[in-house]
Amino acid sequence: TRYCDIIDQKIFDRLTEVFTDDCIGDYRSTNGKVQDGLAPLIAHVTRGMGPGSDCGATHHNVCNFRASVDGDTATSKAHFYAVHEGINHCAGERYTCWGEYDDEWTRTAQGWRVCRRTYRNFLIDGTVDVVRKVRG
């Protein structure tokens, strides 16, 4: 849930509260990429939804949490639903997606952090261009 708040508030530097510095973000189901490390993940999210992007307001929701803890590691899955308002080049468009966060966690000195996220979209509606910054 913290991830959703950070993304919707567009305070992407606070993703340090969610992920480890050496996290792996597997986003192949949506954009064909695996992000290796927190800094590239933050840069990717900022490009797609931050200042200068074609993404305005967003609303991310999670539900159906399933978690298993084993000492200082854990795994979890949660369904998500997210709506993204298009602005600039995508004004009047929306991108809506339904899917699942499949996470591996580790307990750190700062608390639990995701060390690997596999992001899967099950359904989409609208244009994914809303969250893909247009490059000149």
Side-chain angles (χ1 to χ4, degrees):
T1 58
R2 182 176 298 153
Y3 172 83
C4 293
D5 289 341
I6 290 169
I7 295 296
D8 290 341
Q9 294 169 14
K10 297 184 183 279
I11 310 172
F12 306 122
D13 288 343
R14 284 190 48 210
L15 287 172
T16 58
E17 299 173 23
V18 178
F19 296 98
T20 60
D21 287 339
D22 61 349
C23 69
I24 297 171
D26 183 345
Y27 292 86
R28 287 179 286 185
S29 81
T30 187
N31 65 18
K33 294 183 182 177
V34 175
Q35 301 295 329
D36 191 7
L38 181 55
L41 180 61
I42 289 173
H44 174 75
V45 172
T46 301
R47 272 191 308 277
M49 292 185 280
S53 73
D54 291 329
C55 184
T58 64
H59 189 85
H60 289 71
N61 302 274
V62 289
C63 62
N64 298 341
F65 297 94
R66 290 97 64 210
S68 177
V69 178
D70 184 9
D72 289 333
T73 64
T75 58
S76 70
K77 291 184 180 186
H79 289 156
F80 69 82
Y81 166 76
V83 180
H84 309 76
E85 175 188 32
I87 58 172
N88 302 324
H89 293 98
C90 291
E93 300 286 340
R94 280 204 178 80
Y95 171 59
T96 304
C97 54
W98 296 260
E100 181 175 69
Y101 302 133
D102 185 349
D103 296 332
E104 296 175 18
W105 299 76
T106 188
R107 189 189 320 250
T108 71
Q110 295 77 36
W112 287 97
R113 297 291 187 270
V114 175
C115 55
R116 181 180 182 89
R117 166 163 287 172
T118 302
Y119 174 97
R120 294 184 185 95
N121 272 339
F122 298 148
L123 299 166
I124 62 168
D125 186 40
T127 177
V128 73
D129 291 346
V130 170
V131 295
R132 290 192 180 157
K133 180 155 178 67
V134 176
R135 299 287 177 216

